[in-house]
Amino acid sequence: MTKTTLNKFIEYLKQTYKIYAPVRDGSELYVKPINDESEIAEIDFTNQIPINTFKPVLLPKRDVLFDFKKGKFEKKNIKYDPECAFLMSVMDLKAVGLFHQTFERDPYYQKKRQSNLLIGQAFFEGTGFTGHLRERYEEDILEHIIFDIMLVKAGPNKWKFYTGSEKGQVILEAFGFKDFEHIEFAGLIKEEGIDPELERHRKEIVEADNSAWGHWGDICTACGKCAIDCPTCYCFNIEDEQDTKEKGSGQRVRSWTTCFYNDFSEVGGGAKFLKTNARRIQNWYTHKWVRTPKEFQIMGCVNCGRCDKVCPVGIKRADVFKWLEEHKKSK
Amino acid sequence: MINPYEHKEAQVIKVSDQGTDIKSFDFKIKDGGLLDYTPGQFFVFSLPGYGESVFVPAEKVGKKNVYDIAVHKLGRVTSRFHQLKTGDTFGIRGPYGNGFDLNKFKGKNILLIAGGIGLVPLRCLLNYYINRNELDLKNRSIQLLYGCRSFGVMIFKDELKKWNRDFDIQISLDEGDHPAGTGMNCYKGVITVLFNKIDIIKNGVAILCGPPVIYKFVVPEVKQVGYNDEDIYLSLERRMHCAGLGTCQHCAVGPYYVCKDGPVFSYAQLKDTVQYF
Ligand SMILES: Cc1cc2nc3c(=O)[nH]c(=O)nc-3n(C[C@H](O)[C@H](O)[C@H](O)COP(=O)(O)OP(=O)(O)OC[C@H]3O[C@@H](n4cnc5c(N)ncnc54)[C@H](O)[C@@H]3O)c2cc1C
Ligand code: SF4
Ligand code: SF4
Ligand code: FES
């Protein structure tokens, strides 16, 4: 497909879906809603990782689980408007794989997934990868990620199309485009298993003692930015909101939070289990590198680099791991 | 797909004061159903407009299909609970978590250690045994150490008196305000004082539940008595939101989720995990 046809395709999608895509703002990309032709022209195809994520397309920031009226819950008919995440990177699509595992039995997530359309873009060896944080993937990665349609850069102004779901096939055919290849999903884990480097990080976290984290707790401000912009973070609260006008009516709401926030671990009576920033940052790393692999045999970090970039005090994963290793040696 | 956040409706059939800020609620499931659980598992209780809270229900002794919960009034949901009256309804979903591994307790002495409202899951276990004639006191000993701030906050006093006829109960009260006539042995001080004053049963399993400090100070005492790390069980409390589904992350402790892998852990599982108390 050429750029001209691609733009027509986006116009076509816009008839059904609300589209979110990366747009340049200075030196960075941000995922933004695409409303009209001029905004379509602004979509950035460089495959640079946007600062924010496509997460809201998968897990709304605020989602109503139930309505209640006169103090009684109403039967919920779960429904979402169709949304399209356009130009997700391979890393962000790997994160979708983790969401699929985590929310396997969550009817809200599943309905949201049914209503949304995930379109990725990949650059492979020799096709002019220009994004920062170069992560080289072989083409067989497509068998191990979840997507509906994948654009693979095939030349300066050309993309080869793949589909990863029946929905993707149906949409391309309805648009009148038949020159695509279908990829059968072969499971999240590549045959060779978990990346050995990530496995080494896992060990470092398991083996690090409490005192090792004090150093990072002193630096971290617990602002939660790293978690908000991480494509694999999904901490949430569930709370009831009461209607101010109609007594006994309101909604049970699930909304994003981060494990860095002060009340995250607070229990009735006021005790907190993640009391210090050291315990919080330790818990964040433990989730990604220990709990997730323990539960799903995949890493909880897809190596997108957002957390390194957005941290206001410059905490970077590589430095943390190096420090943990050295701290262990010095003991 | 089943919606795990949906709940059944339950109805309050009796409200009793249990102590300062603690009430118990007898209830039954509205469609007459049973709660199918292993002692130590928890349920999520729901009041529209207020939210969800986690409690451990127990079967009533000698009554079919009737359960109760003890609720300590601490915040939004629990305060609303305290306003409920006979006939009012609430939502319930569960059971969640692992519960006690009853097979491992068979034929073994059981040392129960509770602080404050932490008596709840231990009482759930005792009621379960009593209803099935499985206390098995001919072949084993059961002992309960119960620590409270004052006599006023001790819960289920009538049942404690009854149990005291069958097995040993030892009480510690921080304020030492023990009124005469309860028939139970009582000492002034925090729960660890009991370890110097009385014979603690040995060669069995120890089960602890209470505020975080009791784990910190009581586990070393229990080890001193001779219990192995594998035979010491702790039932943990953590903040919960998804409460049982293992997704929201609120209840995480090191490599575990309290709502899914717990709430009952052996000390062997937890001792290298930093944030457990
Ligand atoms: C496994 C387990 C068993 C429990 N059993 C009992 C029991 O039998 N009786 C009893 O009185 N209490 C029990 N608790 C504690 C009880 O769940 C909390 O005290 C209660 O949820 C506080 O709710 P609140 O809305 O009144 O407090 P708030 O402080 O207003 O709560 C705010 C939010 O935090 C959550 N939250 C606060 N504290 C806790 C907590 N300790 N555990 C889980 N979520 C919390 C609430 O769900 C709510 O979303 C148990 C806790 C756990 C984890
Ligand atoms: S690099 Fe950072 S932001 Fe990206 S997945 Fe890993 S932890 Fe999350
Ligand atoms: S972005 Fe940096 S300072 Fe903020 S919570 Fe994350 S590690 Fe801490
Ligand atoms: S309470 Fe949500 S993960 Fe355990």
Side-chain angles (χ1 to χ4, degrees):
Chain A
M1 211 184 257
T2 61
K3 189 72 186 277
T4 325
T5 330
L6 191 53
N7 280 352
K8 279 195 193 124
F9 181 53
I10 300 169
E11 281 286 359
Y12 172 75
L13 291 174
K14 223 165 62 58
Q15 293 168 17
T16 315
Y17 294 94
K18 178 156 185 154
I19 297 177
Y20 294 86
V23 170
R24 184 164 296 279
D25 188 346
S27 60
E28 298 298 345
L29 302 190
Y30 292 88
V31 175
K32 290 184 179 169
I34 303 298
N35 299 308
D36 53 35
E37 226 169 287
S38 71
E39 286 177 354
I40 292 179
E42 278 184 42
I43 297 176
D44 187 296
F45 285 80
T46 56
N47 219 28
Q48 182 179 323
I49 304 286
I51 293 288
N52 58 343
T53 63
F54 291 93
K55 266 193 303 194
V57 172
L58 299 156
L59 195 71
K61 286 185 180 165
R62 180 185 181 281
D63 202 5
V64 174
L65 298 186
F66 297 105
D67 292 294
F68 49 87
K69 282 219 161 70
K70 296 202 174 90
K72 292 262 180 247
F73 283 105
E74 306 201 311
K75 192 85 190 153
K76 177 80 181 176
N77 176 21
I78 307 168
K79 247 176 83 187
Y80 295 98
D81 293 335
E83 291 183 326
C84 168
F86 189 70
L87 296 191
M88 294 179 84
S89 67
V90 168
M91 291 169 234
D92 283 0
L93 288 165
K94 278 173 121 183
V96 174
L98 175 63
F99 272 50
H100 268 53
Q101 301 260 320
T102 306
F103 296 101
E104 199 182 3
R105 294 200 182 85
D106 187 285
Y108 300 90
Y109 177 85
Q110 295 300 335
K111 263 279 157 63
K112 188 91 182 88
R113 172 65 190 108
Q114 279 167 27
S115 71
N116 66 25
L117 185 71
L118 305 181
I119 302 185
Q121 177 178 240
F123 286 53
F124 295 120
E125 263 334 313
T127 54
F129 187 100
T130 56
H132 82 298
L133 273 162
R134 284 147 207 273
E135 178 125 341
R136 301 257 179 230
Y137 290 111
E138 305 295 324
E139 231 156 308
D140 74 351
I141 183 73
L142 299 185
E143 293 167 24
H144 301 287
I145 52 176
I146 286 164
F147 61 90
D148 295 309
I149 296 171
M150 179 66 81
L151 282 61
V152 174
K153 191 85 187 208
N157 202 5
K158 246 178 115 182
W159 286 266
K160 193 166 161 14
F161 271 60
Y162 294 84
T163 54
S165 70
E166 204 185 309
K167 189 181 197 171
Q169 291 175 311
V170 170
I171 286 173
L172 281 177
E173 281 179 13
F175 172 64
F177 186 78
K178 298 206 165 52
D179 185 20
F180 58 83
E181 197 179 308
H182 187 71
I183 306 272
E184 231 21 91
F185 182 58
L188 292 178
I189 311 152
K190 294 245 285 184
E191 290 78 19
E192 58 269 32
I194 284 178
D195 183 333
E197 190 180 316
L198 292 176
E199 172 56 25
R200 196 161 47 80
H201 291 339
R202 192 188 72 82
K203 268 193 81 186
E204 272 155 21
I205 290 170
V206 172
E207 287 167 11
D209 66 10
N210 264 342
S211 66
W213 293 96
H215 172 75
W216 299 102
D218 288 343
I219 304 172
C220 171
T221 62
C223 68
K225 264 177 174 298
C226 52
I228 290 289
D229 286 332
C230 172
T232 67
C233 274
Y234 49 76
C235 288
F236 59 81
N237 287 338
I238 297 176
E239 276 151 340
D240 284 11
E241 294 175 3
Q242 298 195 24
D243 249 355
T244 43
K245 286 190 204 101
E246 212 181 315
K247 207 171 171 281
S249 297
Q251 298 170 321
R252 179 154 295 166
V253 172
R254 174 161 81 181
S255 51
W256 288 14
T257 183
T258 89
C259 56
F260 285 96
Y261 294 163
N262 193 31
D263 63 353
F264 188 78
S265 66
E266 184 174 324
V267 294
K272 276 180 203 141
F273 293 94
L274 302 173
K275 213 172 176 154
T276 60
N277 292 357
R279 288 292 84 80
R280 293 175 198 175
I281 195 166
Q282 175 181 27
N283 175 60
W284 191 74
Y285 275 82
T286 306
H287 180 209
K288 300 203 176 308
W289 279 275
V290 182
R291 290 198 291 275
T292 303
K294 176 170 173 268
E295 207 176 355
F296 302 122
Q297 294 75 51
I298 48 174
M299 273 297 158
C301 166
V302 295
N303 215 8
C304 72
R306 286 183 176 94
C307 55
D308 296 348
K309 208 164 185 183
V310 301
C311 177
V313 292
I315 297 176
K316 295 196 168 37
R317 289 162 304 148
D319 296 340
V320 171
F321 287 121
K322 205 165 137 219
W323 201 90
L324 290 180
E325 201 183 342
E326 278 163 14
H327 184 86
K328 197 167 71 191
K329 277 193 214 135
S330 72
K331 287 217 105 179
Chain B
M1 182 179 277
I2 293 169
N3 187 339
Y5 293 110
E6 270 176 14
H7 42 253
K8 292 183 186 163
E9 212 171 38
Q11 186 163 39
V12 178
I13 51 182
K14 191 177 162 200
V15 185
S16 319
D17 278 322
Q18 287 296 343
T20 320
D21 284 338
I22 301 172
K23 281 185 184 178
S24 67
F25 300 84
D26 292 9
F27 66 92
K28 57 175 197 258
I29 305 300
K30 252 191 142 177
D31 65 15
L34 281 166
L35 290 184
D36 189 12
Y37 64 89
T38 304
Q41 285 188 300
F42 62 88
F43 286 77
V44 182
F45 293 76
S46 169
L47 290 170
Y50 298 85
E52 294 186 317
S53 260
V54 170
F55 308 120
V56 175
E59 307 171 343
K60 299 294 282 184
V61 169
K63 279 189 202 159
K64 265 228 151 79
N65 298 4
V66 182
Y67 307 87
D68 66 11
I69 41 172
V71 177
H72 188 189
K73 185 168 120 185
L74 286 171
R76 197 172 172 197
V77 179
T78 51
S79 300
R80 177 65 183 170
F81 247 97
H82 273 230
Q83 295 172 347
L84 295 188
K85 295 185 187 64
T86 304
D88 288 345
T89 58
F90 54 82
I92 177 168
R93 62 176 172 97
Y96 296 112
N98 56 358
F100 299 114
D101 190 344
L102 299 179
N103 282 327
K104 288 208 175 130
F105 301 172
K106 267 201 185 120
K108 286 195 187 149
N109 292 342
I110 303 181
L111 172 63
L112 301 167
I113 305 174
I117 188 117
L119 182 65
V120 163
L122 308 186
R123 170 177 172 270
C124 170
L125 177 69
L126 288 169
N127 282 6
Y128 181 91
Y129 281 147
I130 293 166
N131 275 341
R132 286 162 190 73
N133 268 323
E134 285 176 13
L135 277 180
D136 196 19
L137 292 166
K138 284 204 184 72
N139 301 305
R140 65 156 157 215
S141 304
I142 293 179
Q143 184 178 43
L144 169 64
L145 314 183
Y146 183 28
C148 278
R149 205 174 64 239
S150 67
F151 188 74
V153 300
M154 266 174 65
I155 55 174
F156 298 112
K157 295 187 185 81
D158 295 344
E159 284 172 56
L160 287 165
K161 272 186 234 164
K162 273 189 212 145
W163 298 340
N164 195 36
R165 291 191 292 237
D166 296 328
F167 54 85
D168 188 38
I169 298 183
Q170 304 283 343
I171 295 190
S172 71
L173 296 172
D174 301 5
E175 293 171 10
D177 55 338
H178 177 49
T182 62
M184 286 175 276
N185 285 330
C186 186
Y187 298 89
K188 181 178 161 70
V190 292
I191 193 159
T192 44
V193 300
L194 299 176
F195 287 82
N196 304 321
K197 307 252 188 215
I198 56 163
D199 285 331
I200 306 282
I201 59 165
K202 297 190 170 67
N203 303 322
V205 295
I207 310 171
L208 281 71
C209 187
V213 290
I214 89 153
Y215 302 122
K216 193 166 174 181
F217 296 108
V218 176
V219 171
E221 299 282 355
V222 176
K223 282 173 63 100
Q224 191 82 40
V225 176
Y227 285 84
N228 298 322
D229 293 349
E230 293 74 26
D231 296 325
I232 302 173
Y233 294 93
L234 319 175
S235 182
L236 298 194
E237 179 190 358
R238 283 295 181 279
R239 184 176 182 130
M240 295 186 177
H241 280 254
C242 71
L245 310 179
T247 46
C248 76
Q249 300 298 310
H250 281 271
C251 72
V253 177
Y256 307 114
Y257 296 109
V258 173
C259 74
K260 212 161 107 176
D261 306 314
V264 182
F265 295 94
S266 72
Y267 182 63
Q269 278 176 292
L270 289 181
K271 63 179 174 184
D272 297 325
T273 297
V274 278
Q275 311 121 310
Y276 88 90
F277 47 66

